[in-house]
């Protein structure tokens, strides 16, 4: 199976109902053993689900497995797996509800940027300026929260203008040797590339002229530190060994990009890369200050900043000398994302901060069959391309409900409709049900 960035073994996690009681009733050793068994079971289910044809069928198999096991450890771990697939289907708010990492205040936190001599700036403008004197820019993401990679898509053109020419993304597969020439990702390009915003990130880099690097470690990495070491080595050998003056943008999950401290018993990919290159890096954290469901788990600074500034787009803070603010010392910059706003059941950040525009799509092409997956592919790409956007349309008994009691956010009227977010251009629409049965195709143009 393709390597993924697991997070349940560390940090502050959202737990399913009853988790606290379960933890109090058993020893740490018992809880760890239950987690290990749940992880093994979750991986086995995911491998089996992957043999199903089409994302809808894969998701249904996983959802049914989730419903059959009510144990706390399994729901905590498999909830993350479910959340990845919800994001692949375009069910973004539900993906965030199914799994998120809370961000309580910690002793290492820097003082709040409010009232501390810092000024809020649009992240799209400030980050390219911060990056001006660096050869390496590291951007992290929460893998099931596509909002945390939306800014990266928009930043790529600005960083290209600064002279960055290499882009590396976690879990891209080195086996897809045709990616650069083809110009767009397909199902075999990686794991997270199945999510349309991630695919758009890779596609954007290719269109701009970046050399796209697959730097993932081999699936049989024995320890977390071995994986981090191997990732760093791949980046060094693919980029700086060949081009010492190269400028590189790296996308990674969570704390793979921390510049100091112990990471999973060893060191992070970024620390290993520094040992190989000696190059200073700009580490940008996008995983601490995004909106959690209903405010549950938000860092105290997040609420204070949103209440005072009401930003409509991602922001960062800098002092009078232009030095950026970060929540924690292992990073250089912390991005604050605005609260999520829904229109026609879909988040408006899917505009990618101005790159795309909404297009309302009716369910006529579903011919009354639900759940129905609507996909929009660029007309100049093949039918194997990961769509530019996709959404799930359903009836008043939606497919996505009852993930640990959570409600589906989508449109559930008798004849549903929804909004796709697309760049200007021509697209092929597909309306899909079941194991990838296409009921209808159409061509649309976004002016």
């Amino acid at each position: 199976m393709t390597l993924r960035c697991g997070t349940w073994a560390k940090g502050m996690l959202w737990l399913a109902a009853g988790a606290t009681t379960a933890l109090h009733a058993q020893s740490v050793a018992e809880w760890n053993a239950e987690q290990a068994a749940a992880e093994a079971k979750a991986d086995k289910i995911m491998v089996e689900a992957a043999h199903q044809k089409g994302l809808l069928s894969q998701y249904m198999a996983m959802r049914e497995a989730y419903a059959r096991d009510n144990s706390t450890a399994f729901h905590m771990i498999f909830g993350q797996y479910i959340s990845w697939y919800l994001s692949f289907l375009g069910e973004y708010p539900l993906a965030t509800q199914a799994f998120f990492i809370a961000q309580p205040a910690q002793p290492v936190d820097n003082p709040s940027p409010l009232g501390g001599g810092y000024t809020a700036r649009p992240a799209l403008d400030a980050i390219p300026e911060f990056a001006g004197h660096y050869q390496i820019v590291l951007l992290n993401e929460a893998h099931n929260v596509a909002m945390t990679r939306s800014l990266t898509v928009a930043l790529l053109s600005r960083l290209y203008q600064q002279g960055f020419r290499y882009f590396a993304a976690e879990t891209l597969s080195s086996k897809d040797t045709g990616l650069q020439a083809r110009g767009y990702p397909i199902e075999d390009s990686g794991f997270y590339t199945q999510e349309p915003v991630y695919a758009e990130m890779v596609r954007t880099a290719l269109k701009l002229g970046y050399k796209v690097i697959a730097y993932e470690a081999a699936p049989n990495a024995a320890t977390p530190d071995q994986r981090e070491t191997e990732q760093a080595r791949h980046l060094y050998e693919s980029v700086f060994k060949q081009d010492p003056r190269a400028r590189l943008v790296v996308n990674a999950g969570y704390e793979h990009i921390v510049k100091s401290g112990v990471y999973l018993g060893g060191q992070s990919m970024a620390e290993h890369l520094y040992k190989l290159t000696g190059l200073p890096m700009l580490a940008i954290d996008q995983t601490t200050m995004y909106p959690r469901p209903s405010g549950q788990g938000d860092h105290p600074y997040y609420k204070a900043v949103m209440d005072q500034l009401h930003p409509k787009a991602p922001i960062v803070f800098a002092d009078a000398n232009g030095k950026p603010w970060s929540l924690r010392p292992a990073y250089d910059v912390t991005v604050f994302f605005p609260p999520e706003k829904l229109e026609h059941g879909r988040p408006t950040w899917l505009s990618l901060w101005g790159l795309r525009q909404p297009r309302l799509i009716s369910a006529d092409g579903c011919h009354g069959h639900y759940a129905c997956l609507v996909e929009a592919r660029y007309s100049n790409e093949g039918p194997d391309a990961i769509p530019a956007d996709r959404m799930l349309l359903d009836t008043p008994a939606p497919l996505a409900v009852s993930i640990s009691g959570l409600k589906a956010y989508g449109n559930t009227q008798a004849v549903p409709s929804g909004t796709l977010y697309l760049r200007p251009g021509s697209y092929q629409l597909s309306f899909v049900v079941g194991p990838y049965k296409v009921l209808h195709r159409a061509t649309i143009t976004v002016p």
Side-chain angles (χ1 to χ4, degrees):
M1 179 183 293
T2 304
L3 273 168
R4 304 174 306 279
C5 180
T7 59
W8 52 83
K10 58 188 294 294
M12 295 295 292
L13 301 186
W14 172 76
L15 302 179
T20 303
T21 302
L23 285 171
H24 288 170
Q26 60 188 166
S27 69
V28 172
E30 289 172 333
W31 174 242
N32 287 342
E34 189 176 336
Q35 280 187 295
E39 182 181 346
K41 179 177 180 179
D43 280 341
K44 182 174 183 291
I45 292 169
M46 198 162 172
V47 170
E48 292 171 350
H51 292 139
Q52 300 285 331
K53 186 177 181 181
L55 276 176
L56 270 179
S57 297
Q58 292 170 12
Y59 171 72
M60 281 299 295
M62 293 175 68
R63 179 174 176 267
E64 290 166 3
Y66 185 94
R68 287 195 300 268
D69 189 330
N70 290 322
S71 72
T72 296
F74 179 74
H75 273 200
M76 187 179 75
I77 290 174
F78 203 59
Q80 185 180 26
Y81 290 26
I82 285 279
S83 72
W84 293 333
Y85 273 79
L86 286 167
S87 74
F88 296 170
L89 292 170
E91 291 274 311
Y92 296 110
L94 190 63
T96 304
Q97 291 180 59
F99 176 87
F100 66 89
I101 301 177
Q103 284 296 330
Q106 297 185 13
V108 298
D109 291 352
N110 289 316
S112 169
L114 295 176
Y118 289 93
T119 301
R121 298 191 57 198
L124 267 174
D125 296 333
I127 288 175
E129 293 179 18
F130 299 154
H133 301 293
Y134 291 89
Q135 280 185 250
I136 301 173
V137 170
L138 308 166
L139 294 134
N140 70 356
E141 65 169 47
H143 293 309
N144 68 310
V145 185
M147 173 191 278
T148 63
R149 61 180 67 116
S150 63
L151 177 64
T152 303
V153 182
L155 280 170
L156 284 172
S157 63
R158 311 279 184 108
L159 293 171
Y160 192 86
Q161 292 169 9
Q162 290 273 15
F164 288 85
R165 293 294 182 269
Y166 295 84
F167 174 72
E170 185 177 312
T171 75
L172 274 183
S173 173
S174 59
K175 294 180 180 179
D176 184 8
T177 56
L179 176 63
Q180 192 80 33
R182 188 174 58 246
Y184 59 86
I186 59 176
E187 184 177 350
D188 293 334
S189 295
F191 182 72
Y192 297 119
T193 42
Q194 295 179 82
E195 189 279 305
V197 177
Y198 202 108
E200 190 69 6
M201 179 172 64
V202 173
R203 179 186 286 111
T204 298
L206 291 166
K207 287 183 176 180
L208 287 168
Y210 284 90
K211 182 177 181 181
V212 173
I213 305 297
Y215 71 96
E216 189 52 80
N220 60 353
T223 66
D225 192 65
Q226 183 178 331
R227 181 187 180 197
E228 304 301 299
T229 301
E230 193 171 335
Q231 286 181 333
R233 179 174 58 82
H234 288 165
L235 287 171
Y236 172 73
E237 292 179 350
S238 299
V239 180
F240 297 103
K241 187 176 181 180
Q242 315 296 329
D243 184 1
R245 299 172 68 88
R247 306 191 77 186
L248 168 69
V249 180
V250 181
N251 161 267
Y254 300 101
E255 295 184 3
H256 288 298
I257 71 165
V258 293
K259 295 167 60 174
S260 61
V262 176
Y263 177 70
L264 294 180
Q267 291 183 308
S268 71
M269 173 272 293
E271 292 174 286
H272 286 293
L273 184 58
Y274 179 76
K275 287 190 293 185
L276 291 171
T277 65
L279 296 171
M281 307 172 190
L282 181 71
I284 302 165
D285 175 37
Q286 303 185 97
T287 65
T288 52
M289 297 296 182
Y290 71 84
R292 271 65 179 178
S294 304
Q296 181 187 5
D298 285 342
H299 192 281
Y301 294 173
Y302 181 81
K303 184 178 188 306
V305 168
M306 295 302 114
D307 287 348
Q308 181 169 322
L309 300 180
H310 307 287
K312 303 300 182 185
I315 59 172
V316 296
F317 287 87
D319 65 16
N321 296 317
K323 182 180 179 181
W325 178 89
S326 68
L327 175 64
R328 294 177 183 135
Y331 301 100
D332 299 300
V333 187
T334 296
V335 175
F336 287 74
F337 288 90
E340 192 166 62
K341 179 183 178 183
L342 302 183
E343 292 184 0
H344 298 286
R346 306 204 74 213
T348 57
W349 58 256
L350 282 168
S351 69
L352 303 180
W353 316 110
L355 295 179
R356 307 199 295 191
Q357 53 189 284
R359 178 69 178 261
L360 188 63
I361 305 294
S362 79
D364 292 347
C366 298
H367 300 317
H369 296 276
Y370 302 103
C372 178
L373 192 62
V374 185
E375 300 182 318
R377 289 177 173 82
Y378 291 93
S379 292
N380 62 353
E381 295 181 354
D384 57 346
I386 302 298
D389 194 12
R390 63 160 68 95
M391 63 180 173
L392 189 63
L393 298 180
D394 214 341
T395 62
L399 172 71
V401 299
S402 68
I403 295 299
S404 194
L406 298 169
K407 301 294 185 183
Y409 72 92
N411 293 285
T412 57
Q413 63 268 30
V415 180
S417 63
T419 301
L420 292 173
Y421 282 82
L422 304 169
R423 296 178 190 248
S426 177
Y427 295 86
Q428 299 297 315
L429 293 187
S430 300
F431 294 78
V432 182
V433 296
Y436 221 83
K437 179 181 179 182
V438 180
L439 296 177
H440 181 71
R441 298 184 193 275
T443 300
I444 64 169
T445 300
V446 179

